Amino acid sequence: MGLNNYDIKEIKITFKMASMNPKYKGNANKIIRILADEYKVSFDRIYKIIFGKKVNLNIGANLRILRMKRNLTQHEVAKALGLYYQTIGYWENNKSSPCGNKLEKLAKFYDVPVEDITESK
């Protein structure tokens, strides 16, 4: 099923409204997953509609490399950042991607520029 212009506009508005809800604060990926299920399209398609770009599949590999270079477990990274270890696993396996403040927290934690996480090597 394709999305028409009305669907795309509705997706953007729904995302914006949901982002303001404290229940989803800082969890854009959860909103995107819900919208993807609702409109029966891929996570990547909704992500591109909202952010205007594709999900970078290098992020997961980059995060895993940064973690392993420091001999850290997913649990240790999650605890240091105040996240669930499953979240780190999802990011490393490209099931979702960190965005906004989480991406900045990761960069600060690993003491690297954000581009080291988001760009392909």
Side-chain angles (χ1 to χ4, degrees):
M1 170 179 109
L3 298 173
N4 60 40
N5 288 339
Y6 178 79
D7 291 333
I8 291 170
K9 189 172 185 176
E10 189 175 75
I11 287 167
K12 288 178 179 181
I13 291 168
T14 304
F15 178 83
K16 188 172 184 175
M17 290 175 60
S19 296
M20 292 184 230
N21 183 332
K23 178 179 176 182
Y24 298 110
K25 185 164 178 66
N27 200 346
N29 291 329
K30 186 170 186 177
I31 301 167
I32 293 170
R33 275 195 297 279
I34 292 167
L35 288 168
D37 288 345
E38 181 71 27
Y39 287 90
K40 296 179 180 22
V41 295
S42 71
F43 178 94
D44 290 352
R45 176 80 170 109
I46 300 295
Y47 189 96
K48 187 172 182 183
I49 288 168
I50 293 166
F51 297 110
K53 58 186 177 186
K54 287 186 174 184
V55 175
N56 182 345
L57 295 180
N58 295 309
I59 290 175
N62 293 344
L63 288 173
R64 178 174 281 119
I65 290 166
L66 286 167
R67 179 178 59 77
M68 294 178 95
K69 278 183 177 178
R70 288 157 179 81
N71 287 327
L72 297 169
T73 66
Q74 289 179 351
H75 286 273
E76 291 167 330
V77 173
K79 186 175 181 181
L81 298 173
L83 302 167
Y84 295 109
Y85 78 91
Q86 294 95 330
T87 302
I88 305 302
Y90 270 54
W91 291 343
E92 289 185 2
N93 290 304
N94 294 310
K95 291 183 179 178
S96 65
S97 297
C99 53
N101 66 340
K102 299 263 189 327
L103 198 52
E104 291 168 14
K105 273 183 161 181
L106 284 161
K108 187 175 180 180
F109 176 76
Y110 288 122
D111 195 28
V112 297
V114 171
E115 292 76 25
D116 280 10
I117 297 172
T118 59
E119 294 179 1
S120 54
K121 305 281 184 217

